Amino acid sequence: QVQLVESGGGLVQPGGSLRLSCAASGFTIGDAYMKWVRQVPGKELEWVASAGAGGLTIYADSVKGRFTISKDNAKSTLYLQMNSLKPEDTAVYYCAKGDARGQGTQVTVSS
């Protein structure tokens, strides 16, 4: 079955960078449509970025130009490189494939 395990979150100052990883198993990520979403407690889930087959990537306007989604097919891992982080990026970040999501990783941007 599909399993997704996120890692790489933490506390970072505004303007800093983090790279999130999502180790995937139970399917081949190369052709899969996968995404990163995030959630602040008490708020709805927010879509961040998606990666499909053939290198297709799309981003929410709020992160465009700052975040980069990528896949390493050999490692079966999805990444989210986050640069120029802002306090409003603070959230629990999840990778997802269809209805499946991992346990999430906390990202806190604060001075």
Side-chain angles (χ1 to χ4, degrees):
Q1 71 276 20
V2 172
Q3 288 193 326
L4 303 166
V5 179
E6 302 94 338
S7 61
L11 172 64
V12 62
Q13 292 187 341
S17 298
L18 281 175
R19 188 177 79 157
L20 305 184
S21 300
C22 172
S25 60
F27 65 100
T28 302
I29 71 165
D31 292 333
Y33 185 83
M34 299 184 70
K35 59 188 176 184
W36 287 97
V37 296
R38 64 188 181 186
Q39 190 166 34
V40 175
K43 294 191 176 182
E44 292 186 355
L45 209 59
E46 178 189 8
W47 168 72
V48 175
S50 296
L56 171 70
T57 58
I58 50 175
Y59 299 92
D61 287 344
S62 59
V63 306
K64 199 173 295 181
R66 300 188 297 122
F67 290 12
T68 303
I69 188 172
S70 63
K71 296 178 182 177
D72 185 328
N73 295 340
K75 294 183 179 180
S76 195
T77 300
L78 181 74
Y79 298 103
L80 185 68
Q81 177 67 44
M82 307 187 295
N83 299 328
S84 302
L85 282 161
K86 304 175 181 180
E88 51 264 45
D89 294 318
T90 295
V92 178
Y93 283 71
Y94 302 89
C95 69
K97 177 186 179 294
D99 293 332
R101 263 195 288 162
Q103 83 289 348
T105 186
Q106 175 71 47
V107 171
T108 303
V109 184
S110 174
S111 55

